[in-house]
Amino acid sequence: MSRKLTRHEKALIRTRNKLSSPWSSAISIIIAVLWTIPTVGLLVTSFRDNRMAISTSGWWTSLSPSHWKDFGLGNYRSVLGGGYNLGAYFVNSFVITIPGVLIPITLALLAAYAFAWCEFPGKNILFVAVFALQVVPIQVTMIPLLSQYVKWGLNNTFWVLWLSHTMFGLPLAIFLLHNFMLDIPKELIEAAKVDGASHVQIFLKVVLPLMVPAIASFAIFQFLWVWNDLLVALAFAGNTPATAPLTSRLSDMVGSRGSAWYLLAPGAFIAMVVPVAVFLFLQRYFVRGMLAGAVKG
């Protein structure tokens, strides 16, 4: 005997039926194709070794068999080695991005749990203050932060980038994760407390497994922000090869390497491969995290 559907399940079915209409599918396909064409063009151009052909013809003309001889890996070898050495900056971007994502997520999870399930004086006022920090422009904080980093002797190190990205990402992370935690049934938390579980046990064994979609959603946003960042890296860590990210090197190629403009395509594609891979790997969690709480049952 089939069970009766809940209001939440019926609402999800109605939403799915609306989004799966033929017109919606056709429009989605058209948008996806148009959105993908520039990326395909960038990929094709990055493999074209003939500089003259790049400047005199479009990338689509190289797809004919007569132009296949122009393709090769020469541009990538020049970019990753030689005088450009994007490989070292690629590693720097990973060193900056991974802690810049993990640290704010860890701190935000702890803070969001405290705001959602712990009682302490001034909780609501403090949460509003944290939320209000999102409206503070990053540019306003740069001079005071840089002065403080210089006093601490941390300027031109990875520490200033990790701390800065953590501070800039925490308000949004706490807000998003807190709202997701409030959707967890209160009965689960109360049942765990009745069984004698402490806050640490509730957080690790009950709340954290249910937070995977929300964590993945924010991780994608934070990863894209940190990986593509140029302003914070230039302001706090300088443009030294020891700490500069990949975006900094690409910026130098645009400004001071005009004679090597044909190498911008492989350099840009190298920079975008990792964010695209991260998004594709986590997209199912991303969709679940974005839809969580959108429909109330």
Side-chain angles (χ1 to χ4, degrees), residues 187-198 202 206:
E187 291 76 11
L188 288 177
I189 308 298
E190 293 177 347
K193 291 181 178 179
V194 170
D195 291 339
S198 63
I202 295 174
V206 178

Short mmCIF file of all heavy atoms in Angstrom, two decimals, residues 187-198 202 206:
data_model
loop_
_atom_site.label_atom_id
_atom_site.label_comp_id
_atom_site.label_asym_id
_atom_site.label_seq_id
_atom_site.Cartn_x
_atom_site.Cartn_y
_atom_site.Cartn_z
N GLU A 187 13.53 18.15 16.79
CA GLU A 187 13.36 16.89 17.50
C GLU A 187 14.64 16.06 17.51
O GLU A 187 14.91 15.33 18.46
CB GLU A 187 12.22 16.07 16.87
CG GLU A 187 10.83 16.67 17.07
CD GLU A 187 10.56 17.85 16.17
OE1 GLU A 187 11.39 18.08 15.24
OE2 GLU A 187 9.56 18.55 16.38
N LEU A 188 15.43 16.16 16.43
CA LEU A 188 16.69 15.41 16.37
C LEU A 188 17.66 15.89 17.45
O LEU A 188 18.31 15.09 18.12
CB LEU A 188 17.34 15.56 14.99
CG LEU A 188 16.68 14.85 13.82
CD1 LEU A 188 17.41 15.17 12.53
CD2 LEU A 188 16.67 13.34 14.05
N ILE A 189 17.74 17.21 17.59
CA ILE A 189 18.65 17.76 18.60
C ILE A 189 18.17 17.40 20.01
O ILE A 189 18.96 17.01 20.88
CB ILE A 189 18.75 19.28 18.44
CG1 ILE A 189 19.10 19.65 16.99
CG2 ILE A 189 19.77 19.86 19.40
CD1 ILE A 189 20.41 19.13 16.53
N GLU A 190 16.87 17.51 20.23
CA GLU A 190 16.33 17.21 21.56
C GLU A 190 16.48 15.73 21.89
O GLU A 190 16.78 15.37 23.03
CB GLU A 190 14.86 17.62 21.61
CG GLU A 190 14.65 19.13 21.52
CD GLU A 190 13.18 19.51 21.50
OE1 GLU A 190 12.35 18.60 21.30
OE2 GLU A 190 12.87 20.70 21.68
N ALA A 191 16.29 14.87 20.89
CA ALA A 191 16.45 13.43 21.14
C ALA A 191 17.90 13.10 21.50
O ALA A 191 18.15 12.27 22.38
CB ALA A 191 16.02 12.64 19.90
N ALA A 192 18.83 13.76 20.83
CA ALA A 192 20.24 13.52 21.15
C ALA A 192 20.58 14.01 22.56
O ALA A 192 21.34 13.36 23.29
CB ALA A 192 21.13 14.23 20.12
N LYS A 193 19.98 15.14 22.97
CA LYS A 193 20.22 15.64 24.32
C LYS A 193 19.63 14.69 25.36
O LYS A 193 20.23 14.46 26.42
CB LYS A 193 19.62 17.04 24.47
CG LYS A 193 20.35 18.12 23.68
CD LYS A 193 19.71 19.48 23.89
CE LYS A 193 20.45 20.57 23.14
NZ LYS A 193 19.82 21.92 23.33
N VAL A 194 18.44 14.13 25.06
CA VAL A 194 17.82 13.19 26.00
C VAL A 194 18.70 11.95 26.16
O VAL A 194 18.80 11.37 27.25
CB VAL A 194 16.42 12.80 25.50
CG1 VAL A 194 15.86 11.65 26.31
CG2 VAL A 194 15.49 14.01 25.58
N ASP A 195 19.37 11.54 25.09
CA ASP A 195 20.26 10.38 25.15
C ASP A 195 21.58 10.68 25.84
O ASP A 195 22.43 9.79 25.96
CB ASP A 195 20.53 9.85 23.74
CG ASP A 195 19.29 9.23 23.12
OD1 ASP A 195 18.38 8.84 23.88
OD2 ASP A 195 19.23 9.13 21.88
N GLY A 196 21.76 11.92 26.27
CA GLY A 196 22.96 12.28 27.00
C GLY A 196 24.10 12.79 26.15
O GLY A 196 25.23 12.90 26.63
N ALA A 197 23.83 13.14 24.88
CA ALA A 197 24.90 13.63 24.01
C ALA A 197 25.27 15.06 24.36
O ALA A 197 24.40 15.89 24.67
CB ALA A 197 24.45 13.55 22.55
N SER A 198 26.55 15.35 24.31
CA SER A 198 27.01 16.72 24.56
C SER A 198 26.90 17.52 23.26
O SER A 198 26.58 17.00 22.20
CB SER A 198 28.47 16.70 25.02
OG SER A 198 29.31 16.16 24.01
N ILE A 202 26.66 16.13 19.46
CA ILE A 202 25.54 16.51 18.60
C ILE A 202 26.06 17.15 17.32
O ILE A 202 25.58 16.85 16.21
CB ILE A 202 24.59 17.46 19.34
CG1 ILE A 202 23.93 16.75 20.52
CG2 ILE A 202 23.54 18.02 18.40
CD1 ILE A 202 23.10 17.67 21.39
N VAL A 206 25.34 14.41 14.60
CA VAL A 206 23.97 14.69 14.14
C VAL A 206 23.96 15.82 13.11
O VAL A 206 23.43 15.66 12.00
CB VAL A 206 23.06 15.06 15.33
CG1 VAL A 206 21.65 15.39 14.83
CG2 VAL A 206 23.01 13.91 16.33
#
